[in-house]
Every structure is written in structure tokens, then in C-alpha cells.
Short mmCIF file of all heavy atoms in Angstrom, two decimals:
data_model
loop_
_atom_site.label_atom_id
_atom_site.label_comp_id
_atom_site.label_asym_id
_atom_site.label_seq_id
_atom_site.Cartn_x
_atom_site.Cartn_y
_atom_site.Cartn_z
N PHE A 7 36.51 -5.75 -14.48
CA PHE A 7 35.58 -6.78 -14.02
C PHE A 7 34.22 -6.17 -13.74
O PHE A 7 34.13 -5.08 -13.17
CB PHE A 7 36.07 -7.41 -12.70
CG PHE A 7 37.43 -8.06 -12.73
CD1 PHE A 7 38.03 -8.45 -11.54
CD2 PHE A 7 38.11 -8.27 -13.92
CE1 PHE A 7 39.28 -9.06 -11.54
CE2 PHE A 7 39.36 -8.88 -13.93
CZ PHE A 7 39.94 -9.28 -12.73
N THR A 8 33.15 -6.87 -14.08
CA THR A 8 31.83 -6.46 -13.64
C THR A 8 31.00 -7.70 -13.32
O THR A 8 31.47 -8.83 -13.43
CB THR A 8 31.13 -5.53 -14.65
OG1 THR A 8 30.00 -4.92 -14.03
CG2 THR A 8 30.70 -6.26 -15.90
N LYS A 9 29.73 -7.48 -12.91
CA LYS A 9 28.91 -8.59 -12.42
C LYS A 9 27.46 -8.44 -12.88
O LYS A 9 27.02 -7.34 -13.26
CB LYS A 9 28.94 -8.62 -10.88
CG LYS A 9 30.32 -8.54 -10.26
CD LYS A 9 30.23 -8.60 -8.73
CE LYS A 9 31.52 -8.13 -8.09
NZ LYS A 9 31.70 -6.66 -8.19
N VAL A 10 26.74 -9.56 -12.75
CA VAL A 10 25.32 -9.60 -13.11
C VAL A 10 24.58 -10.48 -12.11
O VAL A 10 25.09 -11.49 -11.67
CB VAL A 10 25.14 -10.15 -14.55
CG1 VAL A 10 25.77 -11.53 -14.70
CG2 VAL A 10 23.67 -10.20 -14.96
N TYR A 11 23.39 -10.07 -11.73
CA TYR A 11 22.43 -10.86 -10.94
C TYR A 11 21.38 -9.95 -10.31
O TYR A 11 20.19 -10.14 -10.49
CB TYR A 11 23.11 -11.67 -9.82
CG TYR A 11 22.09 -12.28 -8.84
CD1 TYR A 11 21.43 -13.46 -9.16
CD2 TYR A 11 21.76 -11.64 -7.63
CE1 TYR A 11 20.48 -14.01 -8.29
CE2 TYR A 11 20.82 -12.17 -6.77
CZ TYR A 11 20.19 -13.35 -7.09
OH TYR A 11 19.25 -13.88 -6.24
N TRP A 12 21.81 -8.95 -9.53
CA TRP A 12 20.86 -8.13 -8.78
C TRP A 12 20.02 -7.26 -9.72
O TRP A 12 20.44 -7.00 -10.86
CB TRP A 12 21.61 -7.25 -7.78
CG TRP A 12 22.31 -8.03 -6.70
CD1 TRP A 12 23.64 -8.28 -6.61
CD2 TRP A 12 21.71 -8.68 -5.56
NE1 TRP A 12 23.91 -9.04 -5.49
CE2 TRP A 12 22.76 -9.30 -4.83
CE3 TRP A 12 20.40 -8.80 -5.10
CZ2 TRP A 12 22.53 -10.03 -3.67
CZ3 TRP A 12 20.17 -9.52 -3.94
CH2 TRP A 12 21.22 -10.13 -3.23
N PRO A 13 18.86 -6.79 -9.27
CA PRO A 13 17.96 -6.03 -10.16
C PRO A 13 18.59 -4.77 -10.72
O PRO A 13 19.24 -4.01 -10.01
CB PRO A 13 16.79 -5.68 -9.23
CG PRO A 13 16.82 -6.70 -8.15
CD PRO A 13 18.26 -7.01 -7.93
N THR A 14 18.38 -4.56 -12.01
CA THR A 14 18.80 -3.32 -12.65
C THR A 14 17.63 -2.63 -13.35
O THR A 14 17.81 -1.69 -14.11
CB THR A 14 19.91 -3.60 -13.69
OG1 THR A 14 19.47 -4.64 -14.57
CG2 THR A 14 21.20 -4.01 -13.01
N GLY A 15 16.42 -3.12 -13.09
CA GLY A 15 15.22 -2.54 -13.66
C GLY A 15 14.00 -3.10 -12.94
O GLY A 15 14.12 -3.95 -12.06
N PRO A 16 12.81 -2.63 -13.29
CA PRO A 16 11.60 -3.00 -12.55
C PRO A 16 10.98 -4.33 -12.95
O PRO A 16 10.14 -4.88 -12.24
CB PRO A 16 10.64 -1.86 -12.89
CG PRO A 16 11.06 -1.43 -14.28
CD PRO A 16 12.55 -1.58 -14.30
N GLY A 17 11.38 -4.89 -14.09
CA GLY A 17 10.71 -6.08 -14.60
C GLY A 17 11.20 -7.37 -13.99
O GLY A 17 12.29 -7.43 -13.41
N PRO A 18 10.42 -8.45 -14.10
CA PRO A 18 10.80 -9.75 -13.53
C PRO A 18 12.04 -10.35 -14.19
O PRO A 18 12.70 -11.21 -13.60
CB PRO A 18 9.56 -10.62 -13.76
CG PRO A 18 8.86 -9.99 -14.91
CD PRO A 18 9.11 -8.52 -14.78
N ASN A 19 12.36 -9.90 -15.40
CA ASN A 19 13.55 -10.41 -16.09
C ASN A 19 14.74 -9.47 -15.99
O ASN A 19 15.77 -9.70 -16.63
CB ASN A 19 13.24 -10.69 -17.56
CG ASN A 19 12.33 -11.91 -17.72
OD1 ASN A 19 12.60 -12.96 -17.17
ND2 ASN A 19 11.25 -11.74 -18.46
N ASP A 20 14.61 -8.42 -15.18
CA ASP A 20 15.72 -7.48 -14.98
C ASP A 20 16.60 -7.91 -13.81
O ASP A 20 17.21 -7.08 -13.14
CB ASP A 20 15.17 -6.07 -14.70
CG ASP A 20 14.50 -5.47 -15.91
OD1 ASP A 20 15.00 -5.69 -17.03
OD2 ASP A 20 13.48 -4.77 -15.74
N ARG A 21 16.69 -9.20 -13.56
CA ARG A 21 17.41 -9.73 -12.40
C ARG A 21 17.69 -11.21 -12.62
O ARG A 21 17.12 -11.84 -13.51
CB ARG A 21 16.59 -9.53 -11.14
CG ARG A 21 15.26 -10.29 -11.17
CD ARG A 21 14.21 -9.63 -10.31
NE ARG A 21 13.81 -8.35 -10.89
CZ ARG A 21 13.47 -7.28 -10.16
NH1 ARG A 21 13.46 -7.35 -8.85
NH2 ARG A 21 13.13 -6.14 -10.75
N GLY A 22 18.57 -11.75 -11.81
CA GLY A 22 18.83 -13.18 -11.88
C GLY A 22 19.87 -13.54 -12.92
O GLY A 22 20.57 -12.69 -13.48
N LEU A 23 19.97 -14.85 -13.20
CA LEU A 23 20.97 -15.37 -14.13
C LEU A 23 20.32 -16.16 -15.26
O LEU A 23 20.86 -17.16 -15.74
CB LEU A 23 21.98 -16.25 -13.38
CG LEU A 23 22.81 -15.55 -12.30
CD1 LEU A 23 23.73 -16.55 -11.61
CD2 LEU A 23 23.63 -14.39 -12.88
N SER A 24 19.16 -15.70 -15.69
CA SER A 24 18.54 -16.30 -16.86
C SER A 24 19.36 -15.94 -18.10
O SER A 24 20.13 -14.97 -18.11
CB SER A 24 17.11 -15.79 -17.05
OG SER A 24 17.13 -14.41 -17.39
N ARG A 25 19.18 -16.70 -19.16
CA ARG A 25 19.86 -16.37 -20.42
C ARG A 25 19.50 -14.96 -20.87
O ARG A 25 20.37 -14.18 -21.28
CB ARG A 25 19.47 -17.39 -21.48
CG ARG A 25 20.10 -17.14 -22.84
CD ARG A 25 19.73 -18.22 -23.86
NE ARG A 25 20.37 -17.93 -25.14
CZ ARG A 25 21.63 -18.21 -25.43
NH1 ARG A 25 22.41 -18.77 -24.52
NH2 ARG A 25 22.14 -17.92 -26.63
N LYS A 26 18.22 -14.63 -20.80
CA LYS A 26 17.77 -13.30 -21.21
C LYS A 26 18.50 -12.21 -20.46
O LYS A 26 19.04 -11.27 -21.05
CB LYS A 26 16.26 -13.17 -21.01
CG LYS A 26 15.71 -11.78 -21.35
CD LYS A 26 14.19 -11.75 -21.19
CE LYS A 26 13.64 -10.32 -21.32
NZ LYS A 26 13.88 -9.74 -22.66
N HIS A 27 18.53 -12.32 -19.12
CA HIS A 27 19.12 -11.24 -18.33
C HIS A 27 20.63 -11.14 -18.55
O HIS A 27 21.19 -10.05 -18.64
CB HIS A 27 18.81 -11.43 -16.85
CG HIS A 27 19.24 -10.27 -16.00
ND1 HIS A 27 18.89 -8.98 -16.28
CD2 HIS A 27 20.03 -10.21 -14.88
CE1 HIS A 27 19.41 -8.16 -15.37
NE2 HIS A 27 20.11 -8.88 -14.53
N ILE A 28 21.31 -12.29 -18.63
CA ILE A 28 22.77 -12.25 -18.83
C ILE A 28 23.12 -11.61 -20.17
O ILE A 28 23.98 -10.72 -20.24
CB ILE A 28 23.36 -13.67 -18.73
CG1 ILE A 28 23.34 -14.15 -17.27
CG2 ILE A 28 24.79 -13.71 -19.28
CD1 ILE A 28 23.76 -15.60 -17.09
N LEU A 29 22.46 -12.04 -21.25
CA LEU A 29 22.82 -11.53 -22.57
C LEU A 29 22.44 -10.06 -22.74
O LEU A 29 23.13 -9.31 -23.45
CB LEU A 29 22.16 -12.38 -23.65
CG LEU A 29 22.64 -13.84 -23.71
CD1 LEU A 29 21.97 -14.58 -24.87
CD2 LEU A 29 24.14 -13.93 -23.82
N GLU A 30 21.38 -9.63 -22.10
CA GLU A 30 21.03 -8.21 -22.15
C GLU A 30 21.93 -7.39 -21.23
O GLU A 30 22.33 -6.27 -21.58
CB GLU A 30 19.56 -8.01 -21.77
CG GLU A 30 18.60 -8.57 -22.81
CD GLU A 30 17.14 -8.51 -22.40
OE1 GLU A 30 16.86 -8.27 -21.20
OE2 GLU A 30 16.28 -8.70 -23.29
N SER A 31 22.28 -7.95 -20.08
CA SER A 31 23.07 -7.20 -19.10
C SER A 31 24.50 -6.96 -19.55
O SER A 31 25.06 -5.89 -19.30
CB SER A 31 23.06 -7.93 -17.75
OG SER A 31 21.77 -7.91 -17.18
N ILE A 32 25.10 -7.95 -20.22
CA ILE A 32 26.48 -7.73 -20.68
C ILE A 32 26.54 -6.58 -21.66
O ILE A 32 27.46 -5.76 -21.63
CB ILE A 32 27.10 -9.02 -21.27
CG1 ILE A 32 28.59 -8.80 -21.60
CG2 ILE A 32 26.35 -9.49 -22.51
CD1 ILE A 32 29.46 -8.50 -20.40
N ASN A 33 25.52 -6.46 -22.51
CA ASN A 33 25.51 -5.35 -23.47
C ASN A 33 25.39 -4.01 -22.77
O ASN A 33 26.06 -3.04 -23.13
CB ASN A 33 24.36 -5.53 -24.47
CG ASN A 33 24.58 -6.70 -25.41
OD1 ASN A 33 25.72 -7.07 -25.68
ND2 ASN A 33 23.51 -7.30 -25.89
N GLY A 34 24.54 -3.95 -21.73
CA GLY A 34 24.41 -2.71 -20.97
C GLY A 34 25.69 -2.35 -20.25
O GLY A 34 26.11 -1.19 -20.22
N SER A 35 26.34 -3.35 -19.66
CA SER A 35 27.59 -3.09 -18.94
C SER A 35 28.68 -2.60 -19.88
O SER A 35 29.42 -1.65 -19.56
CB SER A 35 28.06 -4.36 -18.22
OG SER A 35 27.22 -4.65 -17.11
N LEU A 36 28.80 -3.22 -21.05
CA LEU A 36 29.82 -2.78 -22.01
C LEU A 36 29.57 -1.35 -22.48
O LEU A 36 30.51 -0.56 -22.62
CB LEU A 36 29.87 -3.73 -23.21
CG LEU A 36 30.29 -5.18 -22.92
CD1 LEU A 36 30.29 -6.00 -24.20
CD2 LEU A 36 31.65 -5.24 -22.23
N ARG A 37 28.32 -1.02 -22.68
CA ARG A 37 27.98 0.34 -23.11
C ARG A 37 28.36 1.35 -22.02
O ARG A 37 28.98 2.39 -22.30
CB ARG A 37 26.48 0.42 -23.42
CG ARG A 37 26.03 1.78 -23.95
CD ARG A 37 24.56 1.79 -24.27
NE ARG A 37 23.72 1.57 -23.09
CZ ARG A 37 23.06 0.44 -22.83
NH1 ARG A 37 23.14 -0.59 -23.67
NH2 ARG A 37 22.31 0.33 -21.75
N ARG A 38 28.01 1.04 -20.77
CA ARG A 38 28.31 1.97 -19.68
C ARG A 38 29.80 2.06 -19.41
O ARG A 38 30.32 3.13 -19.07
CB ARG A 38 27.56 1.54 -18.42
CG ARG A 38 26.04 1.74 -18.52
CD ARG A 38 25.35 1.44 -17.22
NE ARG A 38 25.34 0.02 -16.90
CZ ARG A 38 24.40 -0.85 -17.24
NH1 ARG A 38 23.35 -0.44 -17.96
NH2 ARG A 38 24.46 -2.12 -16.87
N LEU A 39 30.51 0.95 -19.52
CA LEU A 39 31.94 0.94 -19.25
C LEU A 39 32.77 1.44 -20.44
O LEU A 39 33.99 1.59 -20.33
CB LEU A 39 32.39 -0.48 -18.89
CG LEU A 39 31.95 -0.97 -17.51
CD1 LEU A 39 32.09 -2.48 -17.40
CD2 LEU A 39 32.75 -0.28 -16.41
N LYS A 40 32.11 1.69 -21.58
CA LYS A 40 32.78 2.19 -22.78
C LYS A 40 33.91 1.27 -23.23
O LYS A 40 35.03 1.71 -23.51
CB LYS A 40 33.30 3.62 -22.54
CG LYS A 40 32.23 4.64 -22.18
CD LYS A 40 32.81 6.03 -22.01
CE LYS A 40 31.76 7.02 -21.52
NZ LYS A 40 30.64 7.17 -22.46
N THR A 41 33.61 -0.01 -23.28
CA THR A 41 34.60 -0.98 -23.70
C THR A 41 33.93 -2.06 -24.54
O THR A 41 32.71 -2.26 -24.44
CB THR A 41 35.31 -1.62 -22.49
OG1 THR A 41 36.32 -2.53 -22.94
CG2 THR A 41 34.34 -2.38 -21.60
N ASP A 42 34.72 -2.73 -25.38
CA ASP A 42 34.18 -3.79 -26.23
C ASP A 42 34.06 -5.12 -25.49
O ASP A 42 33.36 -6.03 -25.94
CB ASP A 42 35.07 -4.00 -27.46
CG ASP A 42 35.07 -2.79 -28.38
OD1 ASP A 42 34.03 -2.09 -28.42
OD2 ASP A 42 36.09 -2.54 -29.03
N TYR A 43 34.79 -5.26 -24.39
CA TYR A 43 34.78 -6.51 -23.62
C TYR A 43 35.17 -6.25 -22.18
O TYR A 43 35.79 -5.22 -21.88
CB TYR A 43 35.77 -7.53 -24.23
CG TYR A 43 37.23 -7.13 -24.07
CD1 TYR A 43 37.99 -7.61 -23.00
CD2 TYR A 43 37.84 -6.24 -24.96
CE1 TYR A 43 39.31 -7.23 -22.84
CE2 TYR A 43 39.15 -5.86 -24.80
CZ TYR A 43 39.89 -6.36 -23.73
OH TYR A 43 41.21 -5.97 -23.56
N VAL A 44 34.79 -7.14 -21.30
CA VAL A 44 35.31 -7.12 -19.93
C VAL A 44 36.23 -8.33 -19.78
O VAL A 44 36.05 -9.35 -20.44
CB VAL A 44 34.19 -7.16 -18.87
CG1 VAL A 44 33.41 -5.86 -18.87
CG2 VAL A 44 33.28 -8.37 -19.05
N ASP A 45 37.21 -8.17 -18.93
CA ASP A 45 38.14 -9.27 -18.71
C ASP A 45 37.51 -10.38 -17.89
O ASP A 45 37.82 -11.56 -18.09
CB ASP A 45 39.41 -8.74 -18.03
CG ASP A 45 40.11 -7.72 -18.90
OD1 ASP A 45 39.76 -6.53 -18.82
OD2 ASP A 45 41.00 -8.12 -19.67
N LEU A 46 36.63 -10.01 -16.98
CA LEU A 46 35.97 -11.00 -16.12
C LEU A 46 34.51 -10.60 -15.92
O LEU A 46 34.22 -9.48 -15.52
CB LEU A 46 36.67 -11.08 -14.76
CG LEU A 46 36.12 -12.11 -13.76
CD1 LEU A 46 36.44 -13.53 -14.23
CD2 LEU A 46 36.69 -11.87 -12.36
N TYR A 47 33.61 -11.54 -16.21
CA TYR A 47 32.17 -11.32 -16.01
C TYR A 47 31.72 -12.29 -14.92
O TYR A 47 31.90 -13.51 -15.06
CB TYR A 47 31.41 -11.58 -17.31
CG TYR A 47 30.03 -10.98 -17.36
CD1 TYR A 47 29.75 -9.73 -16.79
CD2 TYR A 47 28.98 -11.64 -18.01
CE1 TYR A 47 28.48 -9.18 -16.87
CE2 TYR A 47 27.71 -11.09 -18.10
CZ TYR A 47 27.47 -9.86 -17.52
OH TYR A 47 26.21 -9.30 -17.58
N GLN A 48 31.14 -11.76 -13.84
CA GLN A 48 30.89 -12.56 -12.65
C GLN A 48 29.40 -12.69 -12.32
O GLN A 48 28.66 -11.71 -12.39
CB GLN A 48 31.61 -11.93 -11.45
CG GLN A 48 33.11 -11.78 -11.64
CD GLN A 48 33.69 -10.76 -10.67
OE1 GLN A 48 34.18 -11.12 -9.61
NE2 GLN A 48 33.62 -9.48 -11.04
N ALA A 49 29.01 -13.90 -11.92
CA ALA A 49 27.66 -14.12 -11.39
C ALA A 49 27.65 -13.57 -9.97
O ALA A 49 28.30 -14.13 -9.08
CB ALA A 49 27.34 -15.60 -11.40
N HIS A 50 26.90 -12.51 -9.76
CA HIS A 50 26.97 -11.77 -8.50
C HIS A 50 26.40 -12.55 -7.31
O HIS A 50 26.67 -12.23 -6.16
CB HIS A 50 26.26 -10.42 -8.66
CG HIS A 50 26.79 -9.34 -7.79
ND1 HIS A 50 26.59 -8.00 -8.05
CD2 HIS A 50 27.53 -9.36 -6.66
CE1 HIS A 50 27.17 -7.27 -7.11
NE2 HIS A 50 27.74 -8.07 -6.26
N ARG A 51 25.57 -13.52 -7.59
CA ARG A 51 25.08 -14.49 -6.61
C ARG A 51 24.66 -15.74 -7.38
O ARG A 51 24.66 -15.74 -8.61
CB ARG A 51 23.88 -13.94 -5.79
CG ARG A 51 24.22 -12.85 -4.79
CD ARG A 51 25.16 -13.30 -3.69
NE ARG A 51 25.35 -12.28 -2.65
CZ ARG A 51 26.26 -11.31 -2.70
NH1 ARG A 51 27.04 -11.22 -3.75
NH2 ARG A 51 26.37 -10.45 -1.71
N TYR A 52 24.30 -16.77 -6.67
CA TYR A 52 23.76 -17.98 -7.30
C TYR A 52 22.26 -17.76 -7.50
O TYR A 52 21.59 -17.20 -6.65
CB TYR A 52 24.00 -19.18 -6.39
CG TYR A 52 23.70 -20.51 -7.03
CD1 TYR A 52 24.66 -21.19 -7.76
CD2 TYR A 52 22.44 -21.10 -6.89
CE1 TYR A 52 24.39 -22.42 -8.35
CE2 TYR A 52 22.16 -22.32 -7.47
CZ TYR A 52 23.13 -22.97 -8.20
OH TYR A 52 22.86 -24.19 -8.77
N ASP A 53 21.74 -18.20 -8.64
CA ASP A 53 20.31 -18.02 -8.93
C ASP A 53 19.60 -19.36 -8.81
O ASP A 53 19.73 -20.23 -9.67
CB ASP A 53 20.14 -17.45 -10.34
CG ASP A 53 18.69 -17.13 -10.67
OD1 ASP A 53 17.81 -17.39 -9.82
OD2 ASP A 53 18.43 -16.62 -11.78
N PHE A 54 18.84 -19.52 -7.73
CA PHE A 54 18.13 -20.77 -7.48
C PHE A 54 16.92 -20.93 -8.40
O PHE A 54 16.33 -22.01 -8.48
CB PHE A 54 17.67 -20.84 -6.02
CG PHE A 54 18.81 -21.02 -5.05
CD1 PHE A 54 19.31 -19.94 -4.34
CD2 PHE A 54 19.38 -22.26 -4.85
CE1 PHE A 54 20.36 -20.10 -3.44
CE2 PHE A 54 20.43 -22.45 -3.97
CZ PHE A 54 20.92 -21.36 -3.26
#
């Protein structure tokens, strides 16, 4: 399991639950976790 929302870089799009951040973040997480998929991908907070 991993999650997405909190900042992982300095830019305004390196955080939150925008389409851009989610689709870029899943790729980064898979690369770091050395796996082709995660069983559960979680919104780490609600993005207002």
C-alpha cells in the first residue's frame, strides 16, 4: 500500500490530488517500490 497527497517536491503541482500529481506520483511510487503495481493506492488527505 502507498499514498499520495503531501508534497514530494518544490513545485505547486508536487502536492494534492490533481490529475497531474496523481498520475505522476503513482509512477514515482512504483519505481521506488520496485513493483509494477500497488495493491492499494490511497488519497493521503482530502484535497479541497
Side-chain angles (χ1 to χ4, degrees):
F7 301 170
T8 193
K9 311 181 196 73
V10 57
Y11 170 81
W12 295 104
T14 52
N19 289 310
D20 292 323
R21 62 207 68 214
L23 297 178
S24 68
R25 179 177 180 81
K26 177 177 172 63
H27 187 52
I28 288 173
L29 296 183
E30 292 175 346
S31 292
I32 186 63
N33 291 333
S35 289
L36 296 180
R37 183 178 63 253
R38 290 186 289 269
L39 288 164
K40 300 182 185 299
T41 183
D42 294 329
Y43 69 95
V44 291
D45 298 87
L46 182 70
Y47 199 37
Q48 302 161 95
H50 209 160
R51 289 297 187 273
Y52 190 88
D53 185 357
F54 290 101

